[in-house]
Amino acid sequence: MTEIVSESLIADQNAMLADRLAQDYQHLAGQLRHRGIDVEEITNKARAFAVAVPSWGTATGGTRFARFPCLAEPRNVFEKLEDCAVIDKLARCTPSVSPHFPWDKVDDFNELREHADNLGLAFDAVNSNTFQDQPGQARSYKYGSLSNTSQAAREQAVAHNIECIEWGEILGSKALTVWVGDGSNFPGQQHFIHSLERYLDSTRKIYDAIPDDWQMFIEHKMFEPAFYSTVMQDWGTNVLCAMELGPKAKSLVDLGHHAPNVNIEMIVARLIQFRKLAGFHFNDSKYGDDDLDSGSINTYQQFLIFNELVDAEYRSTPDFDPAYMLDQSHNVSDPIESLMNSAAEVQRSFVKALLVDREALDEYQDANDALMAANTLKAAYNTDVSPILAMARMRSGGAIDPIATFRATDYRQQLASARPAADGSSSGIV
Ligand code: RM4
Ligand code: MN
Ligand code: MN
């Protein structure tokens, strides 16, 4: 299906915009030169930037009230990968896909890997799912999975995580992300210490099955689906457990999984300092785990997070290689458009963070010049780097304007009959 988005169509669309881009790029290059920044160096770094697409983000999301599917939704992981290939063809910064099991379970994982290879895609971290019951499952996760009071339920959840690792090995993944919905809705329902002991006991068994060249990403979340307490509730519990488990275990930061007003960039700095930063699930939010498109609400926060990440690279922090992934729910927009746009917004924060004058910032910090330190960050944040992003995409074979180019293909209409709508409209993952 990627032939609908052909190279010649991208070239035709780019031809209409190329002159204007060249002018804007030259103008920005001149502005940056005055600040001692070589635009080509930044553009090369932008081209090397990558963020993984969540396979589950290619279908329309939903709330617990309703789901409004878009036309020609992918019906299985093979079609999801085809959409991911379209995203990368146009956006050129999303060469890998993070799969979710058992949603993406197939009979032949070699065939799936080959399908991805043919589309020019690789697999990022595999995600296990013990927050839902599957048809025919022996034990229920109603009262938790890795921390369930029932040993049989815990063993079932451990076994699922281990099968995810095995499938991931065939796919070429290098990490397992573990997020559980375990928690409680009533004070007193769960013994806080015992439930975390059970969680740790289970995760130790998973950790033992993690191959030597793999990592285990632990994802916390303050609330939902449990609304009084969750077993893996915040970055503190997360990093404590990651430290308990060992060096292959690290803490994953999903931007929507924190208490309101938490200083996420500071959490990121702490995790970097103690070499426990696994990576990110990028999304944006206003109220809770809203899973809105990256860069749609709080762009300064996203920039400040990248400021910490670029600072870590600038200081040549050892073992620093965080995984970047999107984790969003697209309820009212076309998932392909949202994922392209969000990937570019994450890339935008990265590029802006590259513009921070780190020597000047160091000096202002040492001199306690609060205002100028803040202004140094703002000078980078306030720079419109759009021409760099567009130039990076074009030079990598992508679209100067991915959304307009995608719309010019009429992709959904073209696939409408080949991908008929599935029956019914259930609520989606929130
Ligand atoms: C959860 C969490 C996980 C994701 C699922 C779909 O809220 O963010 O990372 O796998 O949603
Ligand atoms: Mn997540
Ligand atoms: Mn979430």
Side-chain angles (χ1 to χ4, degrees):
M1 300 308 152
T2 50
E3 58 273 19
I4 299 174
V5 183
S6 66
E7 272 160 38
S8 66
L9 185 130
I10 296 174
D12 289 349
Q13 290 285 316
N14 283 353
M16 294 191 280
L17 301 169
D19 280 351
R20 187 152 165 199
L21 173 61
Q23 285 173 34
D24 291 348
Y25 186 77
Q26 280 319 317
H27 182 70
L28 178 58
Q31 288 180 324
L32 293 178
R33 206 175 307 124
H34 295 146
R35 289 153 60 177
I37 299 169
D38 175 8
V39 75
E40 288 300 314
E41 216 175 279
I42 304 292
T43 306
N44 287 339
K45 287 186 179 168
R47 287 182 68 183
F49 180 84
V51 55
V53 167
S55 69
W56 62 100
T58 55
T60 311
T63 66
R64 54 202 158 125
F65 301 101
R67 193 177 90 84
F68 303 98
C70 72
L71 197 63
E73 275 200 332
R75 295 160 302 169
N76 54 53
V77 64
F78 291 93
E79 292 180 353
K80 289 179 195 172
L81 287 176
E82 283 161 13
D83 287 2
C84 292
V86 168
I87 293 165
D88 191 48
K89 252 186 146 173
L90 297 169
R92 294 291 165 170
C93 61
T94 55
S96 61
V97 180
S98 191
H100 215 305
F101 300 126
W103 297 336
D104 296 329
K105 187 178 170 206
V106 291
D107 293 334
D108 183 348
F109 280 95
N110 285 303
E111 185 193 1
L112 184 61
R113 180 165 188 175
E114 210 170 291
H115 184 66
D117 278 349
N118 291 338
L119 292 167
L121 296 170
F123 286 98
D124 211 282
V126 295
N127 297 263
S128 60
N129 178 343
T130 61
F131 48 85
Q132 289 175 323
D133 285 348
Q134 306 301 330
Q137 185 176 303
R139 308 285 165 171
S140 173
Y141 296 134
K142 178 174 180 180
Y143 298 114
S145 57
L146 296 174
S147 75
N148 199 305
T149 49
S150 146
Q151 190 185 338
R154 295 200 300 277
E155 281 170 2
Q156 178 182 279
V158 169
H160 169 61
N161 276 278
I162 292 174
E163 68 186 359
C164 287
I165 297 170
E166 288 161 4
W167 298 334
E169 283 196 277
I170 304 174
L171 296 178
S173 295
K174 290 286 172 221
L176 168 74
T177 301
V178 182
W179 175 74
V180 293
D182 297 29
S184 71
N185 273 13
F186 293 88
Q189 181 187 336
Q190 240 175 29
H191 193 284
F192 290 147
I193 294 176
H194 292 163
S195 54
L196 191 60
E197 274 167 354
R198 291 192 293 269
Y199 172 89
L200 265 174
D201 188 57
S202 299
T203 44
R204 276 190 197 102
K205 293 182 180 121
I206 301 169
Y207 186 87
D208 287 345
I210 296 281
D212 285 343
D213 60 343
W214 271 52
Q215 291 183 309
M216 180 170 169
F217 297 166
I218 303 174
E219 182 176 1
H220 58 270
K221 181 168 169 175
M222 178 135 278
F223 70 96
E224 200 195 27
F227 285 101
Y228 167 64
S229 71
T230 61
V231 173
M232 179 49 61
Q233 93 278 17
D234 63 11
W235 79 278
T237 303
N238 190 339
V239 78
L240 285 171
C241 289
M243 287 165 81
E244 277 286 310
L245 290 174
K248 283 183 283 181
K250 291 185 175 165
S251 305
L252 183 104
V253 177
D254 182 312
L255 267 58
H257 289 191
H258 304 262
N261 302 327
V262 157
N263 187 335
I264 300 179
E265 57 272 23
M266 198 165 171
I267 293 171
V268 171
R270 294 289 187 258
L271 290 173
I272 291 171
Q273 185 169 358
F274 294 95
R275 298 190 192 181
K276 280 295 183 189
L277 179 65
F280 295 86
H281 275 178
F282 288 110
N283 51 59
D284 219 332
S285 60
K286 185 152 179 70
Y287 302 103
D289 187 26
D290 306 339
D291 280 336
L292 297 173
D293 287 21
S294 295
S296 61
I297 309 274
N298 199 344
T299 54
Y300 196 47
Q301 172 179 265
Q302 192 173 273
F303 163 79
L304 291 174
I305 289 169
F306 271 97
N307 177 49
E308 297 304 325
L309 297 167
V310 170
D311 176 73
E313 268 171 30
Y314 173 75
R315 289 181 294 102
S316 308
T317 307
D319 298 333
F320 179 74
D321 188 20
Y324 297 148
M325 295 166 275
L326 296 168
D327 179 9
Q328 307 180 158
S329 179
H330 315 108
N331 302 344
V332 296
S333 54
D334 184 308
I336 290 181
E337 293 188 4
S338 266
L339 287 164
M340 292 193 299
N341 213 55
S342 303
E345 286 302 304
V346 175
Q347 189 185 28
R348 181 188 301 278
S349 294
F350 166 67
V351 169
K352 285 187 178 192
L354 292 172
L355 304 183
V356 172
D357 184 340
R358 301 208 172 265
E359 278 174 31
L361 184 61
D362 257 2
E363 282 168 24
Y364 291 133
Q365 288 176 347
D366 284 347
N368 298 306
D369 191 339
L371 191 89
M372 285 310 293
N375 280 356
T376 303
L377 293 183
K378 273 292 177 70
Y381 175 71
N382 287 334
T383 309
D384 181 4
V385 298
S386 302
I388 294 178
L389 301 181
M391 188 59 86
R393 272 194 298 274
M394 191 190 76
R395 288 185 185 169
S396 298
I400 293 176
D401 184 339
I403 307 290
T405 307
F406 176 69
R407 290 187 178 185
T409 66
D410 219 5
Y411 185 77
R412 298 282 177 196
Q413 286 294 343
Q414 297 227 34
L415 284 182
S417 56
R419 291 184 181 180
D423 284 348
S425 123
S426 59
S427 61
I429 294 291
V430 286

